[in-house]
């Protein structure tokens, strides 16, 4: 049972994130509507929901009956009247300030004054988006990570005007749903997960560009070294276990030597210029066929579920 005040939620955007975020609510008796401004989105959204349940069912994390119940409970609509009695709106529409601005202005004329509004934006400033929300104290960021049906983390970001009761309520909702919410007290670009991910990626690409190692070598270091430690422990615990003084003196010695590239990532730019876009066209740091990309994604999901349930 999720936070008792939230019984009706609208997830806006029937794309990858909207569909997956929405499907997590009906099992907690929350009336869940997926809103899009384009009816054609719904077939793909239904498919996304069905597909994300496959890995959960095959790993015993969900039964076939539960999956059917969730799929039947989801309401799909292009009718903006769905916002009229919403208690929570999670916005997962395209990553464009103009599109989000028009959307907030539209729904703010419909939703109740105390309806919480949250954005799943990957990177746009919460303070910037708050400008287009009436009663901005009810607005904040709720950043899910893909695959959002498996990854427990949700980053809740406060803007300058966000009220404490807004984020407290969302923290309770996500906790009740078995998620692992983390609260950012200030709006910061990239939130926590992307700042950490890109700090590591900047150094990894620098090492490849400098000819120190190949992408495969770096993947091996992370998979069998740091990544394994992070999964089974945590970065700050690793410092505790390794010794504060050791990490302090290594940091002093190493920081001046680490990449501090501020402008762009040359290696990623070269890859894009060479038409290497990743699994979408089968060419990236590795090569993929459409079948192997699906297989690898499935394998990744299975491993994550296994680790989380072990
Ligand atoms: N894809 C990811 O891995 C990921 C991860 C975290 C956060 N996000 C963020 O989530 C948001 C959605 O990303 P996505 O990958 O699901 O995008 P997507 O393109 O798959 O889906 C967006 C959906 O919104 C619909 N839409 C467009 N304008 C709309 C409007 N005015 N009202 C209602 N619906 C509208 C589109 O038709 C589409 O179905 C973005 O802000 C993105 O940055 C994405």
């Amino acid at each position: 049972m999720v936070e008792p005040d939230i019984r009706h939620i609208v997830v806006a955007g029937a794309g990858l994130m909207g569909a997956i975020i929405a499907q997590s609510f009906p099992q907690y008796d929350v009336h869940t509507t997926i809103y899009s401004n384009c009816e054609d989105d719904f077939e793909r959204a239904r498919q996304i929901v069905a597909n994300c349940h496959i890995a959960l069912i095959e790993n015993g994390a969900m039964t076939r009956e539960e999956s059917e119940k969730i799929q039947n409970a989801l309401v799909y609509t292009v009718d903006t009247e769905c916002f009229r009695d919403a208690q929570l709106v999670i916005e997962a529409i395209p990553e464009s300030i103009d599109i989000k601005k028009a959307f907030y202005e539209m729904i703010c004329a419909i939703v109740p004054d105390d309806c919480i509004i949250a954005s799943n934006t990957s990177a746009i400033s919460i303070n910037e988006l708050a400008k287009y929300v009436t009663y901005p104290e009810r607005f904040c960021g709720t950043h899910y990570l893909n695959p959002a049906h498996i990854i427990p983390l949700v980053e809740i970001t406060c803007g300058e005007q966000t009220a404490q009761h807004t984020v407290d309520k969302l923290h309770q909702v996500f906790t009740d749903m078995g998620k692992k919410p983390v609260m950012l007290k200030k709006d910061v670009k990239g939130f926590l997960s992307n700042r950490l991910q890109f700090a590591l990626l900047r150094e990894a690409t620098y090492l490849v560009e400098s000819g120190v190692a190949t992408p495969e070598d770096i993947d091996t270091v992370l998979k069998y070294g740091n990544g394994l430690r992070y999964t089974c422990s945590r970065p700050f615990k690793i410092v505790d276990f390794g010794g504060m003084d050791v990490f302090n003196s290594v940091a002093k010695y190493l920081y001046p030597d680490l990449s501090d590239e501020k402008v762009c990532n040359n290696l990623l730019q070269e890859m894009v210029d060479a038409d290497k876009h990743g699994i979408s066209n089968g060419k990236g740091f590795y090569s993929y066929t459409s079948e192997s990309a699906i297989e690898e994604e499935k394998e990744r999901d299975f491993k994550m579920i296994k680790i989380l349930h072990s």
Side-chain angles (χ1 to χ4, degrees), residues 119-136:
S119 177
N120 185 49
T121 177
S122 305
I124 302 173
S125 153
I126 298 304
N127 288 333
E128 169 70 25
L129 293 177
K131 289 182 202 159
Y132 314 115
V133 176
T134 52
Y135 310 116

Side-chain angles (χ1 to χ4, degrees), residues 227-276:
L228 192 58
R229 290 210 299 202
Y230 287 162
T231 304
C232 303
S233 183
R234 301 160 215 182
F236 286 117
K237 261 202 189 232
I238 290 168
V239 176
D240 280 349
F241 277 65
M244 206 67 69
D245 46 347
V246 176
F247 272 80
N248 187 34
S249 53
V250 174
K252 279 185 187 154
Y253 179 73
L254 207 53
Y255 278 15
D257 208 57
L258 297 178
S259 170
D260 61 356
E261 179 60 69
K262 288 273 188 234
V263 186
C264 88
N265 188 303
N266 293 331
L267 183 59
L268 295 185
Q269 189 60 56
E270 277 169 25
M271 299 290 280
V272 172
D273 293 345
D275 195 35
K276 294 186 171 183

Side-chain angles (χ1 to χ4, degrees), residues 36 43 70 73-74 76 117 146 160 167 174 212 226 273-274 283 292 306:
S36 176
E43 200 180 319
I70 291 168
L74 289 170
Y76 294 82
I117 302 175
N146 211 3
E160 276 163 12
V167 286
F174 292 131
V212 176
N226 307 48
D273 293 345
K283 293 181 283 183
S292 75
K306 224 174 234 169

Side-chain angles (χ1 to χ4, degrees), residues 12-18 35-38 41 44 91-96 99-100 103 106 119-123 143-146:
L16 179 67
M17 297 308 288
Y35 165 80
S36 176
N37 62 351
C38 173
D41 288 346
R44 176 174 168 246
E91 169 272 303
I93 67 175
E95 190 75 345
S96 145
I99 295 175
K100 291 189 194 288
F103 171 77
M106 181 274 289
S119 177
N120 185 49
T121 177
S122 305
H143 180 234
Y144 286 73
L145 266 63
N146 211 3

